[in-house]
């Protein structure tokens, strides 16, 4: 009987202890939240383009907002200090990625560098990407590839102008350029223009990549309302599975080709100009596979190649297109950039080693990335633990969206925020003040390709400004509205009037 009462008393005290703990605990202070609807949460407030409707919400309710996309809790951040809380102070907590259909179906069950959550596997992929693939040394090794591809674009434009053409559609030119640069770094092959080894193979792969970008930008309700997932509304999942299969077959064939051609030093490029280059990315990955075959499976190799292609091609091409559009709408800036090139480069073609002497060109690239960051909400992060952001409690498992587009256009942070004024970046003050300029993100998940991207965009822009005179078609300004898509494309592909610069005629005719 005594034992029974002791157990009862223990239960009683335990019960009292837990109740008082709850009552005494400071209540959780959650971030403000707009009114929501049962089941769908705030999905009804979301229109396309997403960054614009989220900006409208934060203008109304504040820079730290708690939202619900169906069953998924979302933290929406729209100020540098709260971005700092998430991406610097609580960097590790927010270093996970949410599991979305795109990561499951197109990134080997969220196991590639973009979609893997924080942990030893992601850290290893990130090390390979930053040390073996995107380090300054490696980027420098492929400098000749970028120069050749940009010169080949300039040569095409010149040849067309000699044949009487005066208008060019630049969107496709830029995407062909960045695609060739990336594929030559990855596999030592180009897929557009002259000396393309296998035209049909190139055509097929280009189609696959185009469709992948389209499907990646499509909304998938199953990500937020899991009970709809099995229905696969709009057939997004089916398309993803099919495209991922086609992409992987193609890339596996490329890897196999490299395997067959590899010599004892680990180089696979025996022919043409590539033999002068260093190892391609596939060579690097195959060397890793040889040393640790259990870890570096073909899936890991495929995942890395597909991630770099997806993250590195469209982003740089679209940024170059936005930059050219801004220059056409601001001829005074274009003139100033040309004057800088005339003074510091003179009558020869721009080289990458000249870029450090062209601060104004760099300001133009920064100002473009400020106004048109092609990842306007970064890539979604997810919290692995509860955290305090701006004094509010944010539960674990919350999806984080950082509205870089809104921060970059905030009138409290920027003078005349909607004006294109590259001068604001002179002396780089604009870049250093907190997290008010973060087109590549910040912290552990910051874009590892930023250095390559800035070089690619600057070199392309600089060379085009140097070689040709550019004008808009007619009096109307270039339309600057954003179209639908994952990486903020322009709604209308850019077309421009051009003619070779008289001072460059000699050089152009010798290309
Ligand atoms: C103008 C061009 C580019 C822009 C604006 C850009 C921007 C970004 C942004 C905002 C992120 C997400 C950061 C975050 O999650 O917080 C990202 C991630 C990434 N980017 Fe870029 N990027 C560009 C070009 C490139 C290039 C050229 C490459 C490589 C060839 C690249 C590779 C990656 C990879 C692998 C990730 C995922 C990193 C991770 O999750 O750990 N990007 N990029």
């Amino acid at each position: 009987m005594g034992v029974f009462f002791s157990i009862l008393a223990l239960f009683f005290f335990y019960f009292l202890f837990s109740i008082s703990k709850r009552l005494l605990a400071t209540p959780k202070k959650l971030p403000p939240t707009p009114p929501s609807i049962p089941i769908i949460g705030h999905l009804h407030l979301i229109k396309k383009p997403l960054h614009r409707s989220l900006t409208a919400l934060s203008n109304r309710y504040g820079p730290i907002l708690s939202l619900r996309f169906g069953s998924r809790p979302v933290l929406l951040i729209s100020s540098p200090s709260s971005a700092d809380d998430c991406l610097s102070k609580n960097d590790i907590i927010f270093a996970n990625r949410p599991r979305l259909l795109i990561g499951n179906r197109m990134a080997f069950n969220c196991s590639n560098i973009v979609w893997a959550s924080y942990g030893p596997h992601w850290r290893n992929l990130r090390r390979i990407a930053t040390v073996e693939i995107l380090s300054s040394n490696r980027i420098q090794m492929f400098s000749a590839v970028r120069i050749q591809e940009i010169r080949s674009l300039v040569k095409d434009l010149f040849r067309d102008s000699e044949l009487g053409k005066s208008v060019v559609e630049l969107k496709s030119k830029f995407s062909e350029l960045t695609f060739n640069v990336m594929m030559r770094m990855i596999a030592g092959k180009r897929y557009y223009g002259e000396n393309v080894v296998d035209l049909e193979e190139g055509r097929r792969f280009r189609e696959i990549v185009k469709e992948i970008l389209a499907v990646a930008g499509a909304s998938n309700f199953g990500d937020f309302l899991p009970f709809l997932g099995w229905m696969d509304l709009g057939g997004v999942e089916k398309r993803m599975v099919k495209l991922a299969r086609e992409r992987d077959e193609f890339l596996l064939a490329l890897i196999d080709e490299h395997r067959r051609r590899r010599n004892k030093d680990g180089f696979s490029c025996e022919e043409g100009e590539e033999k002068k280059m260093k190892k391609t990315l596939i060579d690097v990955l195959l060397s890793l596979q040889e040393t640790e075959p259990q870890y570096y499976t073909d899936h890991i190799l495929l995942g890395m190649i597909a991630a770099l292609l997806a993250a590195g091609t469209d982003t740089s091409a679209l940024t170059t297109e936005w930059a050219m559009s801004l220059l056409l709408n601001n001829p005074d800036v274009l003139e100033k950039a040309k004057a800088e090139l005339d003074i510091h480069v003179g009558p020869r073609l721009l080289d990458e080693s000249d870029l450090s002497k062209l601060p104004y060109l760099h300001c133009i690239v920064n100002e473009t990335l400020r106004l048109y960051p092609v990842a306007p909400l970064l890539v979604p992060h997810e919290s692995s633990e509860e955290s305090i952001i701006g004094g509010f409690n944010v539960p674990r498992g919350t999806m984080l969206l950082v509205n870089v587009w809104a921060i970059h256009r905030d009138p409290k942070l920027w003078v005349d925020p909607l004006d294109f004024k590259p001068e604001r970046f002179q002396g780089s003050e604009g870049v250093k003040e907190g997290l008010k300029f973060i087109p590549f993100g910040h912290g552990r998940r910051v874009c590892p390709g930023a250095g390559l991207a800035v070089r690619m965009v600057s070199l392309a822009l600089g060379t085009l400004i140097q070689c040709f005179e550019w004008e808009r078609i007619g009096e109307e300004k270039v339309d600057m509205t954003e179209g639908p898509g994952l990486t903020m494309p322009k709604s209308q592909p850019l077309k421009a009037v051009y003619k070779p610069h008289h001072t460059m005629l000699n050089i152009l005719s010798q290309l």
Side-chain angles (χ1 to χ4, degrees):
M1 205 59 163
V3 176
F4 174 75
F5 276 113
S6 314
I7 293 175
L8 204 66
L10 256 179
F11 268 117
F12 179 70
F13 283 118
Y14 177 73
F15 179 71
L16 266 187
F17 173 72
S18 5
I19 290 268
S20 53
K21 203 173 135 196
R22 273 203 197 172
L23 289 176
L24 292 176
T26 30
K28 300 256 184 237
K29 190 176 158 206
L30 299 172
T33 182
S36 62
I37 290 180
I39 301 176
I40 65 165
H42 297 101
L43 281 177
H44 63 296
L45 300 175
I46 306 303
K47 314 256 172 332
K48 282 187 178 170
L50 189 56
H51 55 272
R52 279 190 186 267
S53 67
L54 294 178
T55 303
L57 282 181
S58 54
N59 284 345
R60 180 150 181 213
Y61 296 99
I64 306 176
L65 277 189
S66 164
L67 300 173
R68 221 163 28 78
F69 290 180
S71 59
R72 218 177 256 276
V74 175
L75 177 69
L76 173 63
I77 290 299
S78 316
S79 73
S81 62
S82 49
D84 190 48
D85 273 359
C86 298
L87 302 176
S88 311
K89 296 190 184 110
N90 292 290
D91 185 11
I92 295 189
I93 292 183
F94 279 98
N96 278 0
R97 296 280 190 215
R99 285 191 80 90
L100 302 176
L101 185 70
I102 183 171
N104 285 336
R105 293 295 177 221
M106 312 264 344
F108 303 97
N109 214 8
C110 296
S111 68
N112 78 4
I113 180 172
V114 180
W115 290 104
S117 273
Y118 185 71
H121 173 63
W122 171 79
R123 278 205 302 272
N124 192 44
L125 295 178
R126 182 81 193 191
R127 188 184 50 78
I128 296 165
T130 43
V131 177
E132 307 271 4
I133 304 165
L134 297 165
S135 65
S136 332
N137 249 347
R138 291 282 309 167
I139 294 178
Q140 188 54 38
M141 280 174 197
F142 283 95
S143 158
V145 165
R146 294 186 289 279
I147 296 276
Q148 283 162 12
E149 288 304 326
I150 285 161
R151 292 193 181 169
S152 145
L153 163 62
V154 163
K155 187 175 157 188
D156 284 355
L157 289 174
F158 179 65
R159 198 191 44 211
D160 286 351
S161 83
E162 292 285 275
L163 295 172
K165 255 182 98 171
S166 61
V167 174
V168 57
E169 187 269 283
L170 284 168
K171 185 190 180 78
S172 54
K173 295 283 178 203
F174 294 150
S175 81
E176 289 165 12
L177 169 72
T178 53
F179 195 70
N180 269 350
V181 168
M182 288 301 296
M183 283 313 283
R184 282 183 69 180
M185 286 178 72
I186 290 170
K189 279 187 167 190
R190 62 199 305 264
Y191 285 91
Y192 291 96
E194 287 169 1
N195 307 327
V196 169
V197 189
D198 189 336
L199 262 177
E200 184 46 34
E201 177 188 279
R203 196 199 56 76
R204 203 183 115 226
F205 193 44
R206 268 153 28 202
E207 276 310 307
I208 298 174
V209 172
K210 227 163 135 185
E211 276 191 56
I212 288 178
L213 289 172
V215 79
S219 330
N220 174 47
F221 289 108
D223 280 331
F224 309 114
L225 302 167
F227 60 91
L228 291 181
W230 65 271
M231 285 195 247
D232 189 19
L233 293 173
V236 176
E237 182 165 8
K238 213 162 131 205
R239 272 169 72 205
M240 281 186 184
V241 172
K242 175 176 166 279
L243 285 168
R245 199 184 50 239
E246 289 177 0
R247 175 198 66 190
D248 298 344
E249 275 170 19
F250 182 91
L251 292 178
L252 260 183
L254 265 186
I255 294 176
D256 280 341
E257 196 184 312
H258 269 67
R259 259 193 203 114
R260 285 195 300 275
R261 289 211 320 241
R262 264 160 75 79
N263 60 23
K264 62 176 176 21
D265 302 318
F267 287 82
S268 59
C269 291
E270 297 290 343
E271 332 123 10
E273 310 216 11
E274 303 297 339
K275 76 175 170 200
K276 286 186 242 133
M277 312 278 171
K278 294 287 168 197
K279 291 179 183 180
T280 63
L281 163 62
I282 298 185
D283 287 327
V284 172
L285 293 172
L286 284 174
S287 302
L288 292 168
Q289 192 174 55
E290 272 163 21
T291 50
E292 234 186 295
Q294 297 88 340
Y295 181 72
Y296 293 103
T297 59
D298 280 355
H299 270 179
I300 295 282
L301 269 53
L302 283 176
M304 184 61 93
I305 298 169
L308 293 180
L309 262 182
T313 313
D314 215 29
T315 44
S316 305
L318 292 174
T319 303
T320 318
E321 193 191 357
W322 283 115
M324 270 309 271
S325 309
L326 286 162
L327 290 175
L328 289 169
N329 281 347
N330 295 273
D332 50 325
V333 176
L334 185 60
E335 223 167 86
K336 233 172 133 176
K338 174 75 174 81
E340 186 182 60
L341 284 155
D342 287 345
I343 294 169
H344 296 290
V345 183
R348 62 173 173 81
L349 280 172
L350 173 65
D351 208 308
E352 277 198 358
S353 55
D354 297 313
L355 291 177
S356 59
K357 293 179 277 177
L358 303 170
Y360 193 65
L361 181 64
H362 194 209
C363 291
I364 291 175
V365 175
N366 275 346
E367 182 68 340
T368 305
L369 288 165
R370 182 184 71 83
L371 281 167
Y372 298 95
V374 290
L377 299 163
L378 301 182
V379 176
H381 294 222
E382 193 178 273
S383 59
S384 54
E385 277 173 41
E386 183 174 326
S387 59
I388 309 273
I389 303 296
F392 298 110
N393 294 75
V394 175
R396 75 187 278 259
T398 300
M399 180 163 99
L400 168 71
L401 297 178
V402 180
N403 194 344
V404 171
W405 188 85
I407 297 175
H408 286 186
R409 289 169 175 241
D410 187 340
K412 294 192 286 304
L413 303 170
W414 305 92
V415 179
D416 302 329
L418 302 187
D419 292 353
F420 178 61
K421 284 189 184 167
E423 290 74 12
R424 70 175 89 237
F425 281 98
Q426 265 162 355
S428 78
E429 311 87 80
V431 196
K432 292 201 175 120
E433 294 161 28
L435 299 196
K436 70 181 227 182
F437 179 65
I438 46 168
F440 296 103
H442 182 81
R444 254 153 245 261
R445 284 283 189 171
V446 70
C447 173
L452 174 61
V454 170
R455 278 209 203 188
M456 231 161 22
V457 176
S458 309
L459 192 67
L461 268 188
T463 313
L464 291 179
I465 297 171
Q466 212 193 7
C467 295
F468 303 101
E469 287 174 35
W470 294 96
E471 270 175 36
R472 301 193 293 259
I473 302 177
E475 290 296 298
E476 292 256 313
K477 286 217 162 193
V478 175
D479 179 1
M480 299 300 280
T481 40
E482 307 102 87
L486 196 65
T487 43
M488 212 174 81
K490 288 182 82 244
S491 72
Q492 300 299 324
L494 175 65
K495 285 187 187 160
V497 177
Y498 77 106
K499 67 173 184 221
H501 230 286
H502 64 278
T503 53
M504 299 299 280
L505 277 172
N506 251 345
I507 293 168
L508 288 170
S509 55
Q510 282 163 29
L511 279 174

